[in-house]
Amino acid sequence: MRVGTFDVGAFVLAAQFPGQGQGEALHRAVRTAEVVEEAGLGSVWLAEHHFVPYGVCPSAVTLAALLLGRTRRIRVGTAVSVLPSAHPVALGEQAALLHLTSGGRFTLGVGRGGPWVDLEVFGSGLPAYERDFPESLDLLLRWLTEPRVGAAGERYAFREVPVVPRPAEALDGDGGPPEVVVACTSPASVRLAAERGLPMLLGMHSGDEEKAAMVALWRESALAAGRSPESVAAAGHVSAGVAQLADRTSEARELLLKAMPGWLKQGLDAHVTVDGRVRAMRDPVAYTELLCALHPVGTPRLAADRLAATAERTGIRRFALLVEGSGELAATEENVRRLGAEVLPHLG
């Protein structure tokens, strides 16, 4: 993304709403990405979840491969690939493959995930979530930038092997590895990303003030780690949010308040912790109301104003917007098309 421009993209969860089948949710996800390109938006971001209807895509990189093949222009990113559930080298190989075969249109977003039963099923255990994320992230970054990699860490130890395919090979004369972004929800994760010069993906539960504070902490930490002022200024952080357009703001809010709480309740209630710890889940109606208040939910003019205001307050000009809040394919397609036709023209 060029500095100073907006990149408005769709955040696709493949959400399974009450009464829907999993195939229906996945079909809507694929079709949404196709319409994103048709509508002139810049990107699509794919969530990854296991064993819950909150999102029925278990492998964001696999779905990204399909969508990169279905599109020709947009950037496709993971938001996020859950690093504790994957081997960093395996994920790095997949990222390199998508980066090279798509002409550099792939972004690898990674995050810690949660203390869910996934850690038991995949055999990684709680340490992968609680302790080992920095080691996993550093191994992944080495794989994406070095010709040969070995490891002697607490979690990963193996002899040096060649990186194949090398993601830093030339792409139309412009070599370099795929972009990596890190989902950040705490000061510790902000500092982790900043020290490595990696842009952040900030969640849709956070408002502009909180996101601005995280950007400020990232900037301070990156400069303290020796990152250049130019690279710090050019960091392409991503703000996740919700977008729902209608001719009247009340209509957009009513649509989401009718559809989203049922999805949120069944999706969030399905999360099971690996160690039996009690997790407080958000009230679905209150959470939907919060999202409507924070994000571009309303008329196209209101949506453009809110996106511009977020950019002004936080410095973030890349957006991953949940567009499937209605739960219906036709309404999602219309929502995406209106973003392209009626919101983008108002953004500088």
Side-chain angles (χ1 to χ4, degrees), residues 41-66:
L41 302 182
S43 54
V44 62
W45 298 84
L46 307 171
E48 174 176 298
H49 297 89
H50 298 281
F51 323 126
V52 293
Y54 184 78
V56 299
C57 172
S59 173
V61 290
T62 301
L63 186 54
L66 173 68

Side-chain angles (χ1 to χ4, degrees), residues 12-17 22 25-26 28-29 46-59 63 118 263-264 266-268 270-271 322 324:
V12 175
L13 277 78
Q16 183 184 2
F17 285 72
Q22 294 163 2
L26 289 168
R28 187 177 64 247
L46 307 171
E48 174 176 298
H49 297 89
H50 298 281
F51 323 126
V52 293
Y54 184 78
V56 299
C57 172
S59 173
L63 186 54
D118 316 9
W263 157 59
L264 289 168
Q266 78 168 12
L268 296 176
H271 283 78
L322 176 70
E324 60 187 317

Side-chain angles (χ1 to χ4, degrees), residues 218-231:
W218 186 96
R219 183 184 304 114
E220 175 187 335
S221 301
L223 291 171
R227 299 289 166 182
S228 71
E230 294 78 14
S231 66

